[in-house]
Amino acid sequence: MQKDIHVVGAIIQKNGKILCVQRADSAVNGADWEFPGGKIEPGETPGQALIREVQEEIGCEITLTEAFDHTVYAYEFANVHLTCFLCELVAGEPILNVHQAMKWLDTSEMVGLKWSPANLPAVEKLQKKDA
């Protein structure tokens, strides 16, 4: 039986663009694009986890606006439950601590990227919202 991993992703918006980050080549799903975020630790709410993960991964402070999308994707190693939140950048400029690249993109520019499968439904929902 597959284990379940609960993770969160930040759809960080600034000046009409969304922050997209690329996983390190050596990571699981290496070189795939995703929204910054990570695992929810025991005792954390999804919001607390997302604020902590964004601080650790890109060195920024965010506020959560609303839950935007939830999906479950069955990877070979686990069922990943991803909840993405719409967020605003409060302080700091994103830096690369764990990712190999980042881009601020509008939704139409996201089409050409190879997205991590769990993130893809949120990307498609963002594109429909802006269509």
PDB file of all heavy atoms in Angstrom, residues 8-10 12 19 21 35-39 44 46-64 87-99 102:
ATOM      1  N   VAL A   8       2.266  21.233   0.404  1.00  0.00           N
ATOM      2  CA  VAL A   8       1.629  22.499   0.063  1.00  0.00           C
ATOM      3  C   VAL A   8       2.496  23.234  -0.963  1.00  0.00           C
ATOM      4  O   VAL A   8       3.713  23.054  -1.002  1.00  0.00           O
ATOM      5  CB  VAL A   8       1.421  23.386   1.310  1.00  0.00           C
ATOM      6  CG1 VAL A   8       0.271  22.871   2.150  1.00  0.00           C
ATOM      7  CG2 VAL A   8       2.683  23.475   2.156  1.00  0.00           C
ATOM      8  N   GLY A   9       1.851  24.045  -1.786  1.00  0.00           N
ATOM      9  CA  GLY A   9       2.548  24.841  -2.789  1.00  0.00           C
ATOM     10  C   GLY A   9       2.041  26.267  -2.771  1.00  0.00           C
ATOM     11  O   GLY A   9       0.852  26.511  -2.557  1.00  0.00           O
ATOM     12  N   ALA A  10       2.960  27.209  -2.999  1.00  0.00           N
ATOM     13  CA  ALA A  10       2.629  28.633  -2.969  1.00  0.00           C
ATOM     14  C   ALA A  10       2.564  29.199  -4.377  1.00  0.00           C
ATOM     15  O   ALA A  10       3.562  29.189  -5.102  1.00  0.00           O
ATOM     16  CB  ALA A  10       3.674  29.396  -2.156  1.00  0.00           C
ATOM     17  N   ILE A  12       2.688  32.283  -5.735  1.00  0.00           N
ATOM     18  CA  ILE A  12       3.054  33.640  -5.289  1.00  0.00           C
ATOM     19  C   ILE A  12       2.876  34.602  -6.460  1.00  0.00           C
ATOM     20  O   ILE A  12       3.488  34.429  -7.515  1.00  0.00           O
ATOM     21  CB  ILE A  12       4.502  33.673  -4.765  1.00  0.00           C
ATOM     22  CG1 ILE A  12       4.659  32.681  -3.607  1.00  0.00           C
ATOM     23  CG2 ILE A  12       4.877  35.092  -4.345  1.00  0.00           C
ATOM     24  CD1 ILE A  12       6.099  32.468  -3.159  1.00  0.00           C
ATOM     25  N   LEU A  19       5.440  33.187  -9.438  1.00  0.00           N
ATOM     26  CA  LEU A  19       6.769  32.618  -9.270  1.00  0.00           C
ATOM     27  C   LEU A  19       6.742  31.109  -9.521  1.00  0.00           C
ATOM     28  O   LEU A  19       5.989  30.376  -8.882  1.00  0.00           O
ATOM     29  CB  LEU A  19       7.306  32.899  -7.863  1.00  0.00           C
ATOM     30  CG  LEU A  19       8.735  32.401  -7.626  1.00  0.00           C
ATOM     31  CD1 LEU A  19       9.740  33.160  -8.494  1.00  0.00           C
ATOM     32  CD2 LEU A  19       9.109  32.525  -6.160  1.00  0.00           C
ATOM     33  N   VAL A  21       9.384  27.705  -9.899  1.00  0.00           N
ATOM     34  CA  VAL A  21      10.741  27.265  -9.567  1.00  0.00           C
ATOM     35  C   VAL A  21      11.003  25.888 -10.170  1.00  0.00           C
ATOM     36  O   VAL A  21      10.090  25.081 -10.322  1.00  0.00           O
ATOM     37  CB  VAL A  21      10.988  27.250  -8.036  1.00  0.00           C
ATOM     38  CG1 VAL A  21      10.980  28.668  -7.473  1.00  0.00           C
ATOM     39  CG2 VAL A  21       9.970  26.384  -7.313  1.00  0.00           C
ATOM     40  N   PHE A  35       5.551  24.944  -7.948  1.00  0.00           N
ATOM     41  CA  PHE A  35       5.389  26.108  -7.093  1.00  0.00           C
ATOM     42  C   PHE A  35       6.176  25.838  -5.822  1.00  0.00           C
ATOM     43  O   PHE A  35       6.231  24.698  -5.355  1.00  0.00           O
ATOM     44  CB  PHE A  35       3.906  26.351  -6.780  1.00  0.00           C
ATOM     45  CG  PHE A  35       3.087  26.592  -8.015  1.00  0.00           C
ATOM     46  CD1 PHE A  35       2.122  25.682  -8.414  1.00  0.00           C
ATOM     47  CD2 PHE A  35       3.287  27.721  -8.791  1.00  0.00           C
ATOM     48  CE1 PHE A  35       1.375  25.885  -9.562  1.00  0.00           C
ATOM     49  CE2 PHE A  35       2.543  27.932  -9.952  1.00  0.00           C
ATOM     50  CZ  PHE A  35       1.585  27.017 -10.327  1.00  0.00           C
ATOM     51  N   PRO A  36       6.818  26.862  -5.235  1.00  0.00           N
ATOM     52  CA  PRO A  36       7.586  26.623  -4.010  1.00  0.00           C
ATOM     53  C   PRO A  36       6.696  26.051  -2.915  1.00  0.00           C
ATOM     54  O   PRO A  36       5.511  26.381  -2.830  1.00  0.00           O
ATOM     55  CB  PRO A  36       8.086  28.015  -3.609  1.00  0.00           C
ATOM     56  CG  PRO A  36       7.788  28.917  -4.749  1.00  0.00           C
ATOM     57  CD  PRO A  36       6.784  28.258  -5.630  1.00  0.00           C
ATOM     58  N   GLY A  37       7.268  25.210  -2.075  1.00  0.00           N
ATOM     59  CA  GLY A  37       6.516  24.603  -0.982  1.00  0.00           C
ATOM     60  C   GLY A  37       7.165  23.312  -0.546  1.00  0.00           C
ATOM     61  O   GLY A  37       8.321  23.055  -0.865  1.00  0.00           O
ATOM     62  N   GLY A  38       6.418  22.500   0.170  1.00  0.00           N
ATOM     63  CA  GLY A  38       6.974  21.236   0.638  1.00  0.00           C
ATOM     64  C   GLY A  38       6.039  20.521   1.587  1.00  0.00           C
ATOM     65  O   GLY A  38       4.840  20.816   1.661  1.00  0.00           O
ATOM     66  N   LYS A  39       6.638  19.590   2.332  1.00  0.00           N
ATOM     67  CA  LYS A  39       5.870  18.712   3.214  1.00  0.00           C
ATOM     68  C   LYS A  39       5.320  19.444   4.436  1.00  0.00           C
ATOM     69  O   LYS A  39       5.968  20.312   4.998  1.00  0.00           O
ATOM     70  CB  LYS A  39       6.748  17.560   3.710  1.00  0.00           C
ATOM     71  CG  LYS A  39       7.126  16.573   2.651  1.00  0.00           C
ATOM     72  CD  LYS A  39       7.986  15.461   3.245  1.00  0.00           C
ATOM     73  CE  LYS A  39       8.564  14.591   2.152  1.00  0.00           C
ATOM     74  NZ  LYS A  39       9.596  13.695   2.650  1.00  0.00           N
ATOM     75  N   GLU A  44       1.809  20.901  12.242  1.00  0.00           N
ATOM     76  CA  GLU A  44       1.655  22.127  11.459  1.00  0.00           C
ATOM     77  C   GLU A  44       0.319  22.134  10.728  1.00  0.00           C
ATOM     78  O   GLU A  44      -0.147  21.089  10.282  1.00  0.00           O
ATOM     79  CB  GLU A  44       2.737  22.230  10.374  1.00  0.00           C
ATOM     80  CG  GLU A  44       4.080  22.654  10.839  1.00  0.00           C
ATOM     81  CD  GLU A  44       5.057  22.819   9.678  1.00  0.00           C
ATOM     82  OE1 GLU A  44       5.042  22.006   8.725  1.00  0.00           O
ATOM     83  OE2 GLU A  44       5.861  23.752   9.738  1.00  0.00           O
ATOM     84  N   PRO A  46      -1.572  23.421   7.212  1.00  0.00           N
ATOM     85  CA  PRO A  46      -1.040  23.645   5.866  1.00  0.00           C
ATOM     86  C   PRO A  46      -0.479  25.067   5.695  1.00  0.00           C
ATOM     87  O   PRO A  46       0.576  25.250   5.085  1.00  0.00           O
ATOM     88  CB  PRO A  46      -2.251  23.401   4.963  1.00  0.00           C
ATOM     89  CG  PRO A  46      -3.077  22.408   5.723  1.00  0.00           C
ATOM     90  CD  PRO A  46      -2.917  22.830   7.168  1.00  0.00           C
ATOM     91  N   GLY A  47      -1.154  26.048   6.250  1.00  0.00           N
ATOM     92  CA  GLY A  47      -0.677  27.425   6.140  1.00  0.00           C
ATOM     93  C   GLY A  47       0.658  27.644   6.827  1.00  0.00           C
ATOM     94  O   GLY A  47       1.552  28.298   6.289  1.00  0.00           O
ATOM     95  N   GLN A  48       0.810  27.099   8.031  1.00  0.00           N
ATOM     96  CA  GLN A  48       2.082  27.219   8.747  1.00  0.00           C
ATOM     97  C   GLN A  48       3.205  26.542   7.968  1.00  0.00           C
ATOM     98  O   GLN A  48       4.314  27.066   7.864  1.00  0.00           O
ATOM     99  CB  GLN A  48       1.974  26.590  10.142  1.00  0.00           C
ATOM    100  CG  GLN A  48       1.094  27.361  11.088  1.00  0.00           C
ATOM    101  CD  GLN A  48       0.764  26.557  12.346  1.00  0.00           C
ATOM    102  OE1 GLN A  48       0.734  25.323  12.344  1.00  0.00           O
ATOM    103  NE2 GLN A  48       0.487  27.275  13.442  1.00  0.00           N
ATOM    104  N   ALA A  49       2.914  25.374   7.418  1.00  0.00           N
ATOM    105  CA  ALA A  49       3.920  24.644   6.643  1.00  0.00           C
ATOM    106  C   ALA A  49       4.353  25.450   5.423  1.00  0.00           C
ATOM    107  O   ALA A  49       5.551  25.528   5.109  1.00  0.00           O
ATOM    108  CB  ALA A  49       3.367  23.286   6.207  1.00  0.00           C
ATOM    109  N   LEU A  50       3.399  26.062   4.749  1.00  0.00           N
ATOM    110  CA  LEU A  50       3.726  26.808   3.538  1.00  0.00           C
ATOM    111  C   LEU A  50       4.571  28.035   3.851  1.00  0.00           C
ATOM    112  O   LEU A  50       5.562  28.303   3.161  1.00  0.00           O
ATOM    113  CB  LEU A  50       2.451  27.201   2.793  1.00  0.00           C
ATOM    114  CG  LEU A  50       2.666  27.720   1.380  1.00  0.00           C
ATOM    115  CD1 LEU A  50       3.479  26.741   0.527  1.00  0.00           C
ATOM    116  CD2 LEU A  50       1.335  28.005   0.720  1.00  0.00           C
ATOM    117  N   ILE A  51       4.217  28.749   4.886  1.00  0.00           N
ATOM    118  CA  ILE A  51       5.015  29.920   5.282  1.00  0.00           C
ATOM    119  C   ILE A  51       6.438  29.497   5.624  1.00  0.00           C
ATOM    120  O   ILE A  51       7.413  30.126   5.193  1.00  0.00           O
ATOM    121  CB  ILE A  51       4.328  30.657   6.448  1.00  0.00           C
ATOM    122  CG1 ILE A  51       3.060  31.354   5.920  1.00  0.00           C
ATOM    123  CG2 ILE A  51       5.273  31.643   7.114  1.00  0.00           C
ATOM    124  CD1 ILE A  51       2.126  31.875   6.990  1.00  0.00           C
ATOM    125  N   ARG A  52       6.603  28.403   6.367  1.00  0.00           N
ATOM    126  CA  ARG A  52       7.932  27.907   6.735  1.00  0.00           C
ATOM    127  C   ARG A  52       8.705  27.453   5.502  1.00  0.00           C
ATOM    128  O   ARG A  52       9.877  27.813   5.313  1.00  0.00           O
ATOM    129  CB  ARG A  52       7.807  26.742   7.730  1.00  0.00           C
ATOM    130  CG  ARG A  52       9.150  26.074   8.064  1.00  0.00           C
ATOM    131  CD  ARG A  52       8.985  24.820   8.901  1.00  0.00           C
ATOM    132  NE  ARG A  52       8.054  23.838   8.360  1.00  0.00           N
ATOM    133  CZ  ARG A  52       8.336  23.009   7.340  1.00  0.00           C
ATOM    134  NH1 ARG A  52       9.502  23.053   6.727  1.00  0.00           N
ATOM    135  NH2 ARG A  52       7.430  22.133   6.926  1.00  0.00           N
ATOM    136  N   GLU A  53       8.067  26.666   4.640  1.00  0.00           N
ATOM    137  CA  GLU A  53       8.751  26.138   3.461  1.00  0.00           C
ATOM    138  C   GLU A  53       9.206  27.252   2.520  1.00  0.00           C
ATOM    139  O   GLU A  53      10.310  27.201   1.973  1.00  0.00           O
ATOM    140  CB  GLU A  53       7.842  25.155   2.708  1.00  0.00           C
ATOM    141  CG  GLU A  53       7.710  23.805   3.367  1.00  0.00           C
ATOM    142  CD  GLU A  53       8.930  22.901   3.151  1.00  0.00           C
ATOM    143  OE1 GLU A  53       9.827  23.241   2.360  1.00  0.00           O
ATOM    144  OE2 GLU A  53       8.965  21.840   3.784  1.00  0.00           O
ATOM    145  N   VAL A  54       8.372  28.252   2.306  1.00  0.00           N
ATOM    146  CA  VAL A  54       8.748  29.360   1.419  1.00  0.00           C
ATOM    147  C   VAL A  54       9.937  30.116   2.008  1.00  0.00           C
ATOM    148  O   VAL A  54      10.869  30.477   1.289  1.00  0.00           O
ATOM    149  CB  VAL A  54       7.541  30.286   1.147  1.00  0.00           C
ATOM    150  CG1 VAL A  54       7.975  31.599   0.499  1.00  0.00           C
ATOM    151  CG2 VAL A  54       6.528  29.565   0.260  1.00  0.00           C
ATOM    152  N   GLN A  55       9.938  30.309   3.321  1.00  0.00           N
ATOM    153  CA  GLN A  55      11.077  30.974   3.971  1.00  0.00           C
ATOM    154  C   GLN A  55      12.353  30.156   3.767  1.00  0.00           C
ATOM    155  O   GLN A  55      13.405  30.690   3.425  1.00  0.00           O
ATOM    156  CB  GLN A  55      10.789  31.171   5.465  1.00  0.00           C
ATOM    157  CG  GLN A  55      11.908  31.867   6.219  1.00  0.00           C
ATOM    158  CD  GLN A  55      12.145  33.297   5.765  1.00  0.00           C
ATOM    159  OE1 GLN A  55      11.211  34.065   5.595  1.00  0.00           O
ATOM    160  NE2 GLN A  55      13.385  33.660   5.544  1.00  0.00           N
ATOM    161  N   GLU A  56      12.260  28.845   3.960  1.00  0.00           N
ATOM    162  CA  GLU A  56      13.436  27.971   3.810  1.00  0.00           C
ATOM    163  C   GLU A  56      13.905  27.875   2.362  1.00  0.00           C
ATOM    164  O   GLU A  56      15.104  27.916   2.088  1.00  0.00           O
ATOM    165  CB  GLU A  56      13.111  26.557   4.315  1.00  0.00           C
ATOM    166  CG  GLU A  56      12.932  26.452   5.810  1.00  0.00           C
ATOM    167  CD  GLU A  56      12.448  25.071   6.255  1.00  0.00           C
ATOM    168  OE1 GLU A  56      12.308  24.166   5.406  1.00  0.00           O
ATOM    169  OE2 GLU A  56      12.192  24.909   7.466  1.00  0.00           O
ATOM    170  N   GLU A  57      12.969  27.731   1.433  1.00  0.00           N
ATOM    171  CA  GLU A  57      13.331  27.478   0.036  1.00  0.00           C
ATOM    172  C   GLU A  57      13.752  28.714  -0.730  1.00  0.00           C
ATOM    173  O   GLU A  57      14.684  28.655  -1.530  1.00  0.00           O
ATOM    174  CB  GLU A  57      12.163  26.816  -0.705  1.00  0.00           C
ATOM    175  CG  GLU A  57      11.931  25.385  -0.312  1.00  0.00           C
ATOM    176  CD  GLU A  57      10.915  24.687  -1.200  1.00  0.00           C
ATOM    177  OE1 GLU A  57      10.344  25.322  -2.110  1.00  0.00           O
ATOM    178  OE2 GLU A  57      10.693  23.483  -0.981  1.00  0.00           O
ATOM    179  N   ILE A  58      13.051  29.826  -0.543  1.00  0.00           N
ATOM    180  CA  ILE A  58      13.361  31.009  -1.353  1.00  0.00           C
ATOM    181  C   ILE A  58      13.602  32.275  -0.526  1.00  0.00           C
ATOM    182  O   ILE A  58      13.802  33.342  -1.081  1.00  0.00           O
ATOM    183  CB  ILE A  58      12.276  31.260  -2.431  1.00  0.00           C
ATOM    184  CG1 ILE A  58      10.912  31.513  -1.799  1.00  0.00           C
ATOM    185  CG2 ILE A  58      12.236  30.115  -3.430  1.00  0.00           C
ATOM    186  CD1 ILE A  58       9.851  31.969  -2.783  1.00  0.00           C
ATOM    187  N   GLY A  59      13.597  32.156   0.811  1.00  0.00           N
ATOM    188  CA  GLY A  59      13.965  33.275   1.674  1.00  0.00           C
ATOM    189  C   GLY A  59      12.999  34.434   1.686  1.00  0.00           C
ATOM    190  O   GLY A  59      13.403  35.575   1.900  1.00  0.00           O
ATOM    191  N   CYS A  60      11.716  34.166   1.473  1.00  0.00           N
ATOM    192  CA  CYS A  60      10.714  35.238   1.419  1.00  0.00           C
ATOM    193  C   CYS A  60       9.611  35.023   2.447  1.00  0.00           C
ATOM    194  O   CYS A  60       9.361  33.902   2.872  1.00  0.00           O
ATOM    195  CB  CYS A  60      10.067  35.285   0.038  1.00  0.00           C
ATOM    196  SG  CYS A  60      11.179  35.763  -1.264  1.00  0.00           S
ATOM    197  N   GLU A  61       8.949  36.124   2.779  1.00  0.00           N
ATOM    198  CA  GLU A  61       7.758  36.064   3.612  1.00  0.00           C
ATOM    199  C   GLU A  61       6.543  36.245   2.707  1.00  0.00           C
ATOM    200  O   GLU A  61       6.544  37.088   1.817  1.00  0.00           O
ATOM    201  CB  GLU A  61       7.772  37.170   4.657  1.00  0.00           C
ATOM    202  CG  GLU A  61       8.836  36.995   5.713  1.00  0.00           C
ATOM    203  CD  GLU A  61       8.837  38.131   6.716  1.00  0.00           C
ATOM    204  OE1 GLU A  61       7.739  38.626   7.068  1.00  0.00           O
ATOM    205  OE2 GLU A  61       9.928  38.527   7.130  1.00  0.00           O
ATOM    206  N   ILE A  62       5.514  35.435   2.978  1.00  0.00           N
ATOM    207  CA  ILE A  62       4.280  35.504   2.193  1.00  0.00           C
ATOM    208  C   ILE A  62       3.073  35.582   3.120  1.00  0.00           C
ATOM    209  O   ILE A  62       3.169  35.263   4.297  1.00  0.00           O
ATOM    210  CB  ILE A  62       4.120  34.276   1.271  1.00  0.00           C
ATOM    211  CG1 ILE A  62       4.136  32.972   2.096  1.00  0.00           C
ATOM    212  CG2 ILE A  62       5.180  34.265   0.186  1.00  0.00           C
ATOM    213  CD1 ILE A  62       3.696  31.734   1.337  1.00  0.00           C
ATOM    214  N   THR A  63       1.972  36.002   2.547  1.00  0.00           N
ATOM    215  CA  THR A  63       0.676  35.841   3.205  1.00  0.00           C
ATOM    216  C   THR A  63      -0.171  34.973   2.288  1.00  0.00           C
ATOM    217  O   THR A  63      -0.062  35.058   1.058  1.00  0.00           O
ATOM    218  CB  THR A  63      -0.053  37.181   3.441  1.00  0.00           C
ATOM    219  OG1 THR A  63      -0.211  37.851   2.196  1.00  0.00           O
ATOM    220  CG2 THR A  63       0.701  38.052   4.410  1.00  0.00           C
ATOM    221  N   LEU A  64      -0.990  34.118   2.879  1.00  0.00           N
ATOM    222  CA  LEU A  64      -1.870  33.247   2.121  1.00  0.00           C
ATOM    223  C   LEU A  64      -3.183  33.968   1.885  1.00  0.00           C
ATOM    224  O   LEU A  64      -3.771  34.508   2.819  1.00  0.00           O
ATOM    225  CB  LEU A  64      -2.130  31.951   2.882  1.00  0.00           C
ATOM    226  CG  LEU A  64      -1.032  30.887   2.842  1.00  0.00           C
ATOM    227  CD1 LEU A  64       0.276  31.383   3.404  1.00  0.00           C
ATOM    228  CD2 LEU A  64      -1.471  29.651   3.556  1.00  0.00           C
ATOM    229  N   CYS A  87      -1.002  33.280  -2.969  1.00  0.00           N
ATOM    230  CA  CYS A  87      -0.218  33.990  -1.960  1.00  0.00           C
ATOM    231  C   CYS A  87       0.265  35.331  -2.503  1.00  0.00           C
ATOM    232  O   CYS A  87       0.372  35.518  -3.713  1.00  0.00           O
ATOM    233  CB  CYS A  87       1.019  33.176  -1.565  1.00  0.00           C
ATOM    234  SG  CYS A  87       0.669  31.526  -0.966  1.00  0.00           S
ATOM    235  N   GLU A  88       0.576  36.216  -1.587  1.00  0.00           N
ATOM    236  CA  GLU A  88       1.185  37.496  -1.935  1.00  0.00           C
ATOM    237  C   GLU A  88       2.555  37.565  -1.280  1.00  0.00           C
ATOM    238  O   GLU A  88       2.734  37.118  -0.145  1.00  0.00           O
ATOM    239  CB  GLU A  88       0.318  38.665  -1.445  1.00  0.00           C
ATOM    240  CG  GLU A  88      -1.050  38.758  -2.094  1.00  0.00           C
ATOM    241  CD  GLU A  88      -1.009  39.152  -3.563  1.00  0.00           C
ATOM    242  OE1 GLU A  88      -0.052  39.833  -3.987  1.00  0.00           O
ATOM    243  OE2 GLU A  88      -1.949  38.774  -4.290  1.00  0.00           O
ATOM    244  N   LEU A  89       3.513  38.134  -1.983  1.00  0.00           N
ATOM    245  CA  LEU A  89       4.857  38.339  -1.462  1.00  0.00           C
ATOM    246  C   LEU A  89       4.816  39.530  -0.517  1.00  0.00           C
ATOM    247  O   LEU A  89       4.368  40.608  -0.894  1.00  0.00           O
ATOM    248  CB  LEU A  89       5.815  38.593  -2.624  1.00  0.00           C
ATOM    249  CG  LEU A  89       7.288  38.644  -2.336  1.00  0.00           C
ATOM    250  CD1 LEU A  89       7.778  37.328  -1.752  1.00  0.00           C
ATOM    251  CD2 LEU A  89       8.053  38.956  -3.624  1.00  0.00           C
ATOM    252  N   VAL A  90       5.257  39.330   0.737  1.00  0.00           N
ATOM    253  CA  VAL A  90       5.218  40.386   1.741  1.00  0.00           C
ATOM    254  C   VAL A  90       6.588  41.040   1.904  1.00  0.00           C
ATOM    255  O   VAL A  90       6.703  42.250   1.988  1.00  0.00           O
ATOM    256  CB  VAL A  90       4.734  39.834   3.108  1.00  0.00           C
ATOM    257  CG1 VAL A  90       4.804  40.884   4.196  1.00  0.00           C
ATOM    258  CG2 VAL A  90       3.323  39.294   2.982  1.00  0.00           C
ATOM    259  N   ALA A  91       7.636  40.205   1.960  1.00  0.00           N
ATOM    260  CA  ALA A  91       8.987  40.733   2.179  1.00  0.00           C
ATOM    261  C   ALA A  91      10.012  39.804   1.545  1.00  0.00           C
ATOM    262  O   ALA A  91       9.835  38.587   1.515  1.00  0.00           O
ATOM    263  CB  ALA A  91       9.267  40.876   3.672  1.00  0.00           C
ATOM    264  N   GLY A  92      11.089  40.421   1.052  1.00  0.00           N
ATOM    265  CA  GLY A  92      12.194  39.667   0.494  1.00  0.00           C
ATOM    266  C   GLY A  92      12.061  39.467  -1.004  1.00  0.00           C
ATOM    267  O   GLY A  92      10.986  39.604  -1.576  1.00  0.00           O
ATOM    268  N   GLU A  93      13.193  39.194  -1.627  1.00  0.00           N
ATOM    269  CA  GLU A  93      13.242  38.822  -3.036  1.00  0.00           C
ATOM    270  C   GLU A  93      13.650  37.362  -3.098  1.00  0.00           C
ATOM    271  O   GLU A  93      14.579  36.946  -2.394  1.00  0.00           O
ATOM    272  CB  GLU A  93      14.254  39.682  -3.794  1.00  0.00           C
ATOM    273  CG  GLU A  93      13.735  41.061  -4.154  1.00  0.00           C
ATOM    274  CD  GLU A  93      12.489  41.021  -5.050  1.00  0.00           C
ATOM    275  OE1 GLU A  93      12.461  40.239  -6.027  1.00  0.00           O
ATOM    276  OE2 GLU A  93      11.542  41.767  -4.774  1.00  0.00           O
ATOM    277  N   PRO A  94      12.980  36.558  -3.903  1.00  0.00           N
ATOM    278  CA  PRO A  94      13.282  35.130  -3.950  1.00  0.00           C
ATOM    279  C   PRO A  94      14.744  34.839  -4.302  1.00  0.00           C
ATOM    280  O   PRO A  94      15.314  35.498  -5.179  1.00  0.00           O
ATOM    281  CB  PRO A  94      12.351  34.603  -5.047  1.00  0.00           C
ATOM    282  CG  PRO A  94      11.261  35.611  -5.155  1.00  0.00           C
ATOM    283  CD  PRO A  94      11.888  36.927  -4.811  1.00  0.00           C
ATOM    284  N   ILE A  95      15.311  33.876  -3.588  1.00  0.00           N
ATOM    285  CA  ILE A  95      16.668  33.402  -3.863  1.00  0.00           C
ATOM    286  C   ILE A  95      16.614  31.881  -4.033  1.00  0.00           C
ATOM    287  O   ILE A  95      15.696  31.228  -3.547  1.00  0.00           O
ATOM    288  CB  ILE A  95      17.655  33.784  -2.736  1.00  0.00           C
ATOM    289  CG1 ILE A  95      17.155  33.266  -1.387  1.00  0.00           C
ATOM    290  CG2 ILE A  95      17.898  35.289  -2.698  1.00  0.00           C
ATOM    291  CD1 ILE A  95      18.128  33.417  -0.253  1.00  0.00           C
ATOM    292  N   LEU A  96      17.599  31.340  -4.729  1.00  0.00           N
ATOM    293  CA  LEU A  96      17.651  29.900  -4.970  1.00  0.00           C
ATOM    294  C   LEU A  96      18.432  29.211  -3.850  1.00  0.00           C
ATOM    295  O   LEU A  96      19.652  29.309  -3.797  1.00  0.00           O
ATOM    296  CB  LEU A  96      18.325  29.610  -6.319  1.00  0.00           C
ATOM    297  CG  LEU A  96      17.574  30.092  -7.557  1.00  0.00           C
ATOM    298  CD1 LEU A  96      18.432  29.916  -8.805  1.00  0.00           C
ATOM    299  CD2 LEU A  96      16.266  29.340  -7.708  1.00  0.00           C
ATOM    300  N   ASN A  97      17.712  28.546  -2.954  1.00  0.00           N
ATOM    301  CA  ASN A  97      18.355  27.754  -1.905  1.00  0.00           C
ATOM    302  C   ASN A  97      18.351  26.265  -2.241  1.00  0.00           C
ATOM    303  O   ASN A  97      19.313  25.570  -1.965  1.00  0.00           O
ATOM    304  CB  ASN A  97      17.662  27.964  -0.555  1.00  0.00           C
ATOM    305  CG  ASN A  97      17.991  29.308   0.056  1.00  0.00           C
ATOM    306  OD1 ASN A  97      19.082  29.819  -0.099  1.00  0.00           O
ATOM    307  ND2 ASN A  97      17.014  29.890   0.736  1.00  0.00           N
ATOM    308  N   VAL A  98      17.262  25.777  -2.808  1.00  0.00           N
ATOM    309  CA  VAL A  98      17.143  24.348  -3.126  1.00  0.00           C
ATOM    310  C   VAL A  98      16.792  24.084  -4.589  1.00  0.00           C
ATOM    311  O   VAL A  98      16.915  22.959  -5.047  1.00  0.00           O
ATOM    312  CB  VAL A  98      16.111  23.640  -2.210  1.00  0.00           C
ATOM    313  CG1 VAL A  98      16.550  23.683  -0.772  1.00  0.00           C
ATOM    314  CG2 VAL A  98      14.733  24.235  -2.371  1.00  0.00           C
ATOM    315  N   HIS A  99      16.360  25.097  -5.301  1.00  0.00           N
ATOM    316  CA  HIS A  99      15.984  24.938  -6.708  1.00  0.00           C
ATOM    317  C   HIS A  99      17.129  25.389  -7.606  1.00  0.00           C
ATOM    318  O   HIS A  99      18.026  26.111  -7.170  1.00  0.00           O
ATOM    319  CB  HIS A  99      14.720  25.748  -7.010  1.00  0.00           C
ATOM    320  CG  HIS A  99      13.527  25.262  -6.256  1.00  0.00           C
ATOM    321  ND1 HIS A  99      13.153  25.794  -5.039  1.00  0.00           N
ATOM    322  CD2 HIS A  99      12.645  24.283  -6.529  1.00  0.00           C
ATOM    323  CE1 HIS A  99      12.079  25.149  -4.604  1.00  0.00           C
ATOM    324  NE2 HIS A  99      11.747  24.230  -5.492  1.00  0.00           N
ATOM    325  N   MET A 102      14.478  29.861 -11.348  1.00  0.00           N
ATOM    326  CA  MET A 102      13.167  30.436 -11.048  1.00  0.00           C
ATOM    327  C   MET A 102      12.829  31.451 -12.117  1.00  0.00           C
ATOM    328  O   MET A 102      13.712  32.044 -12.724  1.00  0.00           O
ATOM    329  CB  MET A 102      13.138  31.056  -9.659  1.00  0.00           C
ATOM    330  CG  MET A 102      13.881  32.355  -9.521  1.00  0.00           C
ATOM    331  SD  MET A 102      13.631  33.116  -7.905  1.00  0.00           S
ATOM    332  CE  MET A 102      14.994  32.422  -7.025  1.00  0.00           C
TER     333      MET A 102
END
